[in-house]
Amino acid sequence: MSKLLVGNAPCSWGTLEFEDAKGGQVGYSRMLDELAETGYTGTELGDWGYMPADPGALGSELKRRGLVMLRW
């Protein structure tokens, strides 16, 4: 039987700032921690500038949490 791997997106984690929203933006580090803790295996990049733009830095952040970057 195949294993189903499920990812999510930063925008689904409340990372976007909306004009009328109260409170601060969820940082990418916290979002990735929570994403991994809840059993997701991957993420989208999200809005440009939300996560590190350097591939090495981003790869390290994902790897230490056992996550992958989703691609279409």
Side-chain angles (χ1 to χ4, degrees):
M1 181 182 291
S2 297
K3 182 177 178 182
L4 180 63
L5 304 176
V6 180
N8 206 327
C11 63
S12 300
W13 225 259
T15 63
L16 299 176
E17 292 185 35
F18 297 100
E19 209 171 289
D20 296 331
K22 300 195 189 250
Q25 182 182 43
V26 175
Y28 79 87
S29 184
R30 176 178 165 190
M31 188 277 298
L32 291 176
D33 287 343
E34 292 176 0
L35 195 77
E37 289 170 10
T38 54
Y40 289 99
T41 58
T43 183
E44 291 181 351
L45 184 58
D47 291 354
W48 185 254
Y50 177 66
M51 289 198 220
D54 175 68
L58 180 56
S60 293
E61 292 289 338
L62 296 172
K63 185 176 181 178
R64 78 180 178 92
R65 294 172 176 88
L67 298 170
V68 298
M69 183 58 62
L70 302 175
R71 54 191 161 134
W72 298 93

